[in-house]
């Protein structure tokens, strides 16, 4: 009798525990269901094996515009454009999810009101214990804003590239074609000088001198423009030895070195993937400027160094010349911008614009740190 009572009690306890476990399971399921329903940045749907939509969450309403009543029981193909439906995209995605367990896809999808949104979709196949596919979990993220921003950036970059190449084309044609009439003016002026110098009066001689000087200067400016538009036309070389480049530049600059009495030290420099001719022009401009803008009252020292940083190779050309006021730090890199008259220092104001374009071609940047009266440090970074 006692044994029977004890058995009944154990049975009762077991039933009670089972009931509690069921209750807990239901609560967990309900709160999981609530959680999924509340998520509103992602549309989360269960889909039957034939594509029928089985449930709904807030994200479906927010992203696709459908309420639960409007979407449950419908075919999930309603989210696809006519073109995608004709191309059997929905069927292909389900087949891929069956084959691989999971598939991801990005594309335009339809909202209830017929407008399009850019979606990132993950479809995961659900299995029973026997391993058979019972349906699918479909998670959709609305990436329309990101997509539009990318699209705008792409259009902007394309327009910029077109404008840039038009501008380069224009600069090239203008500077190339201007050279021809300028050459005629130059030789005609030369002929007049040869035939009439000293034969008219001193005013005429002075005018002729001015004409010749102006023609020469204009020809320098035009040549500078032509060189500028030609930068980057050649191929990049994967092994450009900067030590060799600087050595060649210094050989070319022998007469300026003698004139300026510069003492130049060059540290060990790296080998880079670069445009060789352009890199040579870069060092040439910076080194010749360092000699040109020397301080007349002291020995000129120029140091060339390079070190590797997170951004790439950082080069520095340091001089103890006249220096530059910090407020002109950006202006000097603009085309034809100079801080001195050509009587004080020869030049066209194009050298540093070349340098800026060359460094940009190497995905780098250039700047100057300077103390007026003490010297300048021209620095540029070229990605390694
Ligand atoms: P240019 O040398 O033909 O005048 P750049 O474009 O090479 O043209 O230089 C622009 C201006 O920047 C120069 O006119 C000069 O005022 C200033 N500059 C360039 N390099 C130096 C330097 N090393 N020291 C002082 N000033 C400099």
């Amino acid at each position: 009798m006692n044994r029977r009572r004890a058995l009944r009690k154990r049975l009762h306890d077991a039933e009670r525990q089972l009931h509690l476990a069921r209750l807990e399971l239901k609560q967990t399921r309900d709160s999981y269901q609530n959680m999924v329903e509340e998520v509103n940045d992602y549309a989360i749907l269960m889909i039957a094996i034939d594509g029928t939509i089985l449930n709904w969450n807030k994200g479906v309403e927010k992203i696709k515009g459908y309420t639960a009543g409007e979407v449950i029981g419908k075919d999930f193909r309603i989210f696809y454009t006519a073109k995608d439906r004709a191309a059997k995209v929905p069927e292909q995605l389900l087949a891929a999810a069956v084959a691989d367990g999971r598939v991801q896809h990005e594309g335009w999808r339809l909202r209830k009101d017929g407008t399009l949104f850019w979606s990132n979709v993950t479809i995961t196949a659900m299995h029973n214990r026997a391993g058979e596919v019972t349906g699918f979990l479909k998670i959709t993220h609305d990436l329309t804003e990101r997509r539009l921003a990318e699209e705008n950036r792409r259009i902007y970059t394309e327009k910029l590239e077109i404008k840039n190449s038009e501008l380069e084309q224009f600069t090239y044609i203008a500077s190339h074609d201007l050279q021809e009439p300028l050459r005629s003016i130059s030789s005609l002026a030369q002929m007049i000088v040869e035939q009439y110098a000293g034969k008219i009066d001193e005013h005429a001689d002075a005018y002729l001198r001015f004409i010749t000087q102006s023609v020469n200067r204009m020809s320098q400016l035009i040549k500078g423009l032509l060189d500028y538009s030609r930068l980057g036309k050649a191929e990049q070389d994967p092994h450009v030895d900067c030590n060799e480049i600087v050595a060649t530049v210094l050989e070319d600059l022998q007469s300026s070195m003698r004139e300026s009495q510069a003492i130049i030290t060059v540290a060990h420099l790296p080998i880079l993937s670069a445009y060789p001719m352009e890199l040579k022009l870069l060092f040439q401009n910076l080194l010749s400027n360092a000699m040109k803008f020397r301080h007349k009252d002291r020995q000129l020292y120029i140091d060339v160094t390079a070190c590797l940083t997170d951004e790439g190779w950082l080069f520095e050309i340091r001089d103890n010349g006249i220096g530059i006021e910090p407020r002109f730090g950006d202006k000097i890199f603009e085309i034809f911008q100079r801080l001195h008259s050509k009587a004080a220092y020869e030049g066209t104001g194009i050298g540093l614009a070349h340098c800026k374009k060359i460094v940009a071609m190497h995905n780098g940047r250039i700047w100057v740190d300077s103390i007026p009266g003490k010297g300048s440090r021209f620095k540029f970074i070229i990605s390694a």
Side-chain angles (χ1 to χ4, degrees):
M1 193 61 188
N2 269 353
R3 264 191 64 209
R4 203 183 281 166
R5 200 181 298 141
L7 243 145
R8 212 180 292 135
K9 185 170 178 323
R10 274 174 64 191
L11 190 64
H12 177 78
D13 285 352
E15 270 174 355
R16 202 177 135 66
Q17 266 174 13
L18 188 64
H19 175 72
L20 286 175
R22 276 207 188 113
L23 213 64
E24 206 173 313
L25 186 65
K26 186 175 174 331
Q27 273 169 357
T28 312
R29 221 186 269 154
D30 285 354
S31 59
Y32 182 73
Q33 179 70 22
N34 281 344
M35 190 179 81
V36 171
E37 273 179 18
E38 287 302 316
V39 171
N40 63 23
D41 280 338
Y42 289 83
I44 303 172
L45 293 172
M46 295 282 289
I47 297 175
I49 201 142
D50 66 348
T52 308
I53 299 166
L54 301 175
N55 69 0
W56 169 99
N57 81 332
K58 282 198 176 154
V60 179
E61 185 159 3
K62 184 177 167 200
I63 295 174
K64 309 184 190 215
Y66 292 96
T67 59
E70 288 167 334
V71 91
I72 292 174
K74 294 265 168 57
D75 192 304
F76 89 116
R77 291 167 186 81
I78 55 169
F79 304 133
Y80 290 79
T81 59
K83 191 166 154 246
D84 279 354
R85 281 202 298 263
K88 301 265 179 245
V89 173
E91 289 76 5
Q92 283 163 17
L93 291 178
L94 293 190
V98 171
D100 304 330
R102 186 169 166 272
V103 64
Q104 266 204 322
H105 186 247
E106 279 203 13
W108 291 109
R109 297 282 187 274
L110 275 175
R111 292 196 189 93
K112 186 184 143 192
D113 63 8
T115 56
L116 295 174
F117 69 99
W118 185 260
S119 76
N120 173 293
V121 178
T122 307
I123 300 179
T124 309
M126 316 279 284
H127 299 88
N128 61 16
R129 286 196 181 171
E132 294 154 347
V133 175
T134 53
F136 303 93
L137 174 70
K138 180 170 178 281
I139 302 179
T140 306
H141 195 190
D142 182 354
L143 295 180
T144 313
E145 271 179 31
R146 191 197 75 182
R147 168 83 188 182
L148 291 179
E150 279 172 4
E151 189 65 11
N152 284 342
R153 207 165 32 239
R154 193 187 59 74
I155 292 171
Y156 180 73
T157 313
E158 234 169 51
K159 275 189 186 163
L160 210 64
E161 273 166 8
I162 292 171
K163 283 266 167 278
N164 223 3
S165 85
E166 279 173 3
L167 203 65
E168 277 185 3
Q169 193 87 352
F170 171 79
T171 317
Y172 176 77
I173 292 170
S175 45
H176 185 264
D177 291 3
L178 281 174
Q179 277 190 326
E180 202 43 51
L182 196 65
R183 244 178 249 134
S184 306
I185 297 173
S186 173
S187 47
L188 286 170
Q190 193 54 38
M191 281 163 69
I192 296 173
V193 169
E194 279 163 16
Q195 288 191 28
Y196 298 102
K199 292 188 184 154
I200 309 173
D201 61 24
E202 59 191 42
H203 292 298
D205 285 352
Y207 296 153
L208 278 175
R209 232 182 3 260
F210 291 148
I211 291 176
T212 315
Q213 278 169 5
S214 301
V215 166
N216 286 342
R217 181 146 181 81
M218 192 159 171
S219 135
Q220 279 173 8
L221 292 174
I222 288 175
K223 183 178 175 308
L225 264 186
L226 195 60
D227 291 344
Y228 186 80
S229 66
R230 277 184 182 144
L231 291 178
K233 294 279 181 272
E235 288 288 296
Q236 205 158 344
D237 180 338
H239 294 284
V240 179
D241 188 341
C242 296
N243 301 289
E244 282 174 19
I245 297 245
V246 171
T248 319
V249 168
L250 290 179
E251 256 187 60
D252 293 352
L253 292 176
Q254 277 299 321
S255 67
S256 310
M257 278 169 71
R258 261 195 303 277
E259 195 197 325
S260 64
Q261 310 254 303
I263 297 180
I264 304 177
T265 49
V266 183
H268 186 69
L269 304 176
I271 294 173
L272 294 174
S273 169
Y275 294 92
M277 289 312 295
E278 282 74 5
L279 207 61
K280 183 175 171 234
L281 189 60
L282 174 64
F283 281 111
Q284 190 175 304
N285 284 335
L286 294 175
L287 286 165
S288 62
N289 275 351
M291 291 185 228
K292 182 163 55 169
F293 298 103
R294 65 185 177 274
H295 203 292
K296 298 278 187 289
D297 303 334
R298 59 180 176 245
Q299 167 67 48
L300 170 63
Y301 290 99
I302 302 173
D303 295 322
V304 182
T305 55
C307 65
L308 194 57
T309 69
D310 286 350
E311 263 186 83
W313 280 98
L314 167 64
F315 290 82
E316 182 175 327
I317 285 99
R318 186 170 65 208
D319 66 54
N320 62 338
I322 59 170
I324 299 158
E325 284 212 37
R327 67 194 161 108
F328 297 127
D330 289 335
K331 184 179 164 187
I332 54 169
F333 291 99
E334 286 167 26
I335 199 159
F336 299 141
Q337 294 296 329
R338 320 192 61 230
L339 305 180
H340 309 275
S341 70
K342 72 175 171 19
Y345 294 95
E346 262 300 310
T348 54
I350 209 168
L352 289 180
H354 274 154
C355 294
K356 191 174 169 182
K357 185 169 173 187
I358 293 166
V359 173
M361 277 165 47
H362 292 88
N363 300 321
R365 58 194 179 94
I366 184 166
W367 70 101
V368 64
D369 292 332
S370 181
I371 303 176
K374 291 226 161 329
S376 309
R377 291 164 165 231
F378 278 86
K379 300 181 187 180
F380 62 89
I381 290 185
I382 287 185
S383 52

